[in-house]
Amino acid sequence: QKEVEQNSGPLSVPEGAIASLNCTYSDRGSQSFFWYRQYSGKSPELIMSIYSNGDKEDGRFTAQLNKASQYVSLLIRDSQPSDSATYLCAVIYSSASKIIFGSGTRLSIRP
Amino acid sequence: NAGVTQTPKFQVLKTGQSMTLQCAQDMNHNSMYWYRQDPGMGLRLIYYSASEGTTDKGEVPNGYNVSRLNKREFSLRLESAAPSQTSVYFCASSPGTGIAFEKLFFGSGTQLSVL
């Protein structure tokens, strides 16, 4: 079992709608969770971090964490064509400093 | 600020050749990482260095070696390249301490092809 799991997509969402991206992780002791966005041919960039159960909002982005279910999600409201990218979930493992990524979900916003 | 600088940007090797990917950061970060990215596979951790003088294996270390030369530089060496090592390689660094200690800053990547 991969340590961080994501649906690879592609996820197609109409412009203006809410895009919902999901991630599960296997290490119950993990405390730090991240969402990175990667445009084609570019490096990943951090868009959200979350450490506590519940929701964290930043502009059009909301990260949600449920440690009991080992589940983290990213919601993108009012989706724009510029949101079309691959979204990578990342987790810091409790036993070490290593940061592990999921395989990424490719998101496509259709006009 | 240059941030994280990787060299080279592109490289073609023949099977069995060796090479070293160079990475340097100018942000005084403690932690540095090497990832590889294959289509549909996300980023997979090869090796990381939590602080100067330490290195640890990640998810896919076989076929690679690393050196944390000093606080700024973290190199990745392929001793005998194989076609399975064809990938895009990313170096990253993070502060390792303080607020947002674990935020990763990425280099621009190295496209490596092994024929």
Side-chain angles (χ1 to χ4, degrees):
Chain A
Q1 179 189 3
K2 191 166 168 47
E3 297 171 353
V4 181
E5 302 251 17
Q6 295 180 253
N7 289 325
S8 60
L11 175 65
S12 181
V13 172
E15 185 174 353
I18 296 175
S20 178
L21 305 164
N22 304 314
C23 172
T24 58
Y25 59 95
S26 61
D27 181 7
R28 189 168 288 279
S30 295
Q31 299 295 322
S32 303
F33 309 88
F34 312 90
W35 285 98
Y36 284 78
R37 177 177 63 200
Q38 185 178 27
Y39 293 113
S40 181
K42 301 296 185 182
S43 305
E45 56 179 335
L46 180 68
I47 53 172
M48 290 288 288
S49 58
I50 187 166
Y51 309 98
S52 304
N53 280 329
D55 295 359
K56 178 182 177 182
E57 187 175 317
D58 184 0
R60 294 187 297 111
F61 298 97
T62 299
Q64 299 175 317
L65 176 61
N66 183 326
K67 291 184 180 179
S69 300
Q70 295 174 240
Y71 175 94
V72 58
S73 64
L74 179 69
L75 302 178
I76 306 174
R77 292 182 300 281
D78 188 23
S79 296
Q80 303 296 311
S82 60
D83 295 326
S84 296
T86 296
Y87 289 80
L88 299 159
C89 174
V91 176
I92 292 184
Y93 266 63
S94 57
S95 60
S97 303
K98 61 182 182 178
I99 302 174
I100 302 297
F101 284 79
S103 57
T105 299
R106 188 156 57 93
L107 174 66
S108 176
I109 306 301
R110 60 181 189 269
Chain B
N1 283 342
V4 179
T5 303
Q6 284 182 241
T7 55
K9 292 190 182 302
F10 302 94
Q11 183 71 49
V12 178
L13 293 177
K14 295 181 179 179
T15 297
Q17 287 185 315
S18 62
M19 79 159 296
T20 299
L21 305 183
Q22 306 287 353
C23 177
Q25 52 90 9
D26 62 2
M27 297 173 282
N28 200 35
H29 284 174
N30 290 308
S31 303
M32 299 186 74
Y33 306 81
W34 277 105
Y35 290 91
R36 61 176 288 175
Q37 187 171 37
D38 304 302
M41 297 295 290
L43 292 165
R44 290 187 291 171
L45 181 63
I46 305 171
Y47 271 93
Y48 66 103
S49 171
S51 61
E52 185 179 359
T54 69
T55 60
D56 286 285
K57 296 179 180 179
E59 301 171 274
V60 289
N62 292 344
Y64 305 95
N65 285 302
V66 290
S67 295
R68 184 75 184 265
L69 304 170
N70 48 54
K71 192 171 185 178
R72 292 186 63 249
E73 299 172 288
F74 188 40
S75 63
L76 178 71
R77 183 160 178 84
L78 287 69
E79 292 290 351
S80 179
S84 61
Q85 294 178 305
T86 293
S87 189
V88 177
Y89 290 83
F90 286 102
C91 177
S93 69
S94 65
T97 59
I99 296 172
F101 71 95
E102 72 287 284
K103 177 182 178 181
L104 288 173
F105 294 78
F106 284 89
S108 57
T110 296
Q111 174 70 62
L112 176 66
S113 296
V114 183
L115 306 177

